[in-house]
Amino acid sequence: MADSRGGPSGLCPTLLYADARAAVRQLTEALGFRQLALYEGEGGTVAHAELAQGGGVVMLGSKDNGGVFARAMRDAGPAGVYVVVEDVDAHHARAVEHGVEILTAPADQDYGSRDYMARDLEGNVWSFGTYAPGTPA
């Protein structure tokens, strides 16, 4: 995704997981993200990882990595993240093939998008669709 100036998006969701390695595996293998970076902390925790999908990036790490962000997020609940994909049905099929929990099947929406919703291993809700915020559907 690009911002209004045509540069990369300045908005990056950041999620913390009890098992960040399993999250990276699920997001890359089952949901088509590309791993850009993974930095380990003490004891093999994931201090920071960056995964890309289209023009967007999500950052994630281990819940108990000892950092300020992890402490601030200690009691936070799951998050919801929307990701723009070109072929919703192919993306959905890949997720199903990998056993991802599907919350809604691909469907055409009144506002012109086709999308579906899934839940990751730790309860975060991911929506994948054709609608790109800031652009016509």
Side-chain angles (χ1 to χ4, degrees):
M1 283 182 254
D3 69 12
S4 61
R5 298 176 311 263
S9 175
L11 183 65
C12 299
T14 304
L15 305 171
L16 295 179
Y17 291 88
D19 189 344
R21 288 194 187 285
V24 169
R25 255 190 326 277
Q26 183 184 48
L27 292 169
T28 56
E29 294 174 10
L31 297 174
F33 284 79
R34 187 175 82 254
Q35 183 177 313
L36 300 177
L38 191 144
Y39 303 98
E40 292 186 356
E42 292 183 26
T45 62
V46 176
H48 178 80
E50 297 174 7
L51 307 178
Q53 174 75 255
V57 174
V58 62
M59 298 184 296
L60 63 93
S62 297
K63 281 187 176 180
D64 295 321
N65 68 19
V68 173
F69 185 74
R71 284 192 303 276
M73 294 290 292
R74 184 170 290 133
D75 295 323
V81 180
Y82 179 82
V83 181
V84 178
V85 296
E86 287 185 31
D87 187 338
V88 170
D89 295 291
H91 194 276
H92 173 263
R94 177 180 179 162
V96 168
E97 179 181 310
H98 283 84
V100 173
E101 179 185 356
I102 303 299
L103 301 177
T104 62
D108 294 326
Q109 304 301 324
D110 293 340
Y111 50 88
S113 182
R114 181 162 180 79
D115 54 42
Y116 79 97
M117 195 179 316
R119 186 184 322 272
D120 72 19
L121 295 171
E122 294 195 19
N124 296 298
V125 175
W126 294 81
S127 298
F128 298 91
T130 56
Y131 174 73
T135 63

